[in-house]
Amino acid sequence: ENRRRLLNDAASGRLRTYILSLNSRPVAFLSGTVYAGTFHGSFTGFDPAFRKYSPGTFLLMRIVEDLCAHGVSQLDFGLGDAWYKEQFCDLEWHEASIHLFAPRLAGLRLAVLYVSTSLVNTTSVHVLKRLKLILTSKRLWRSLYTNKHTEQVTG
């Protein structure tokens, strides 16, 4: 689905992908689409080896310059929490999902499973935020995922 969407966005001229390289080595990227004067961010990342230099912030400033020069008046970074969103955004909105479960035993089991896992997740996030460990935990989680994914690809 992502590949089809990216190909469609590229063919229509809406796709924007920016890559910051240092000595031919990519150190940060941001990709998204432009529609009706708004840039909608989709994918972003950076090389953790360059974290102390904030390559993503530098890239974002250059992206803003480029988008403004091309008539874009708004940036929408999309869903989720991230440091750069808190630093560079002036609007936010909250969304909620509605979950419907079948009025049968299987639906009840699924509802109990959903509520219990949601409670653990919500409580964990709240505690990590209060302890100011949320960014550290996200970095660790991403690092574990990246290492596992890299092993699967190369192994």
Side-chain angles (χ1 to χ4, degrees), residues 22 25-28 45-56 139 143 146:
L22 180 61
R25 177 181 175 181
V27 295
F46 68 96
D47 185 336
F50 294 89
R51 177 184 315 280
K52 70 179 182 178
Y53 303 110
S54 300
R139 278 189 215 116
S143 164
T146 302

Side-chain angles (χ1 to χ4, degrees), residues 76-149:
D76 181 346
F77 290 118
L79 300 173
D81 293 328
W83 171 86
Y84 67 92
K85 294 176 184 180
E86 292 178 17
Q87 296 299 309
F88 300 110
C89 295
D90 62 349
L91 292 175
E92 70 176 285
W93 63 89
H94 299 276
E95 295 182 352
S97 299
I98 296 175
H99 302 277
L100 302 175
F101 301 97
R104 295 187 289 277
L105 185 57
L108 177 61
R109 278 189 272 178
L110 188 58
V112 168
L113 180 64
Y114 174 77
V115 168
S116 60
T117 56
S118 293
L119 182 61
V120 169
N121 180 62
T122 302
T123 303
S124 300
V125 168
H126 178 73
V127 168
L128 289 169
K129 282 183 178 180
R130 295 246 353 196
L131 296 174
K132 299 188 185 320
L133 293 173
I134 193 75
L135 292 176
T136 303
S137 65
K138 285 183 178 185
R139 278 189 215 116
L140 176 62
W141 188 257
R142 287 184 194 120
S143 164
L144 292 172
Y145 173 79
T146 302
N147 291 340
K148 181 179 179 185
H149 183 68

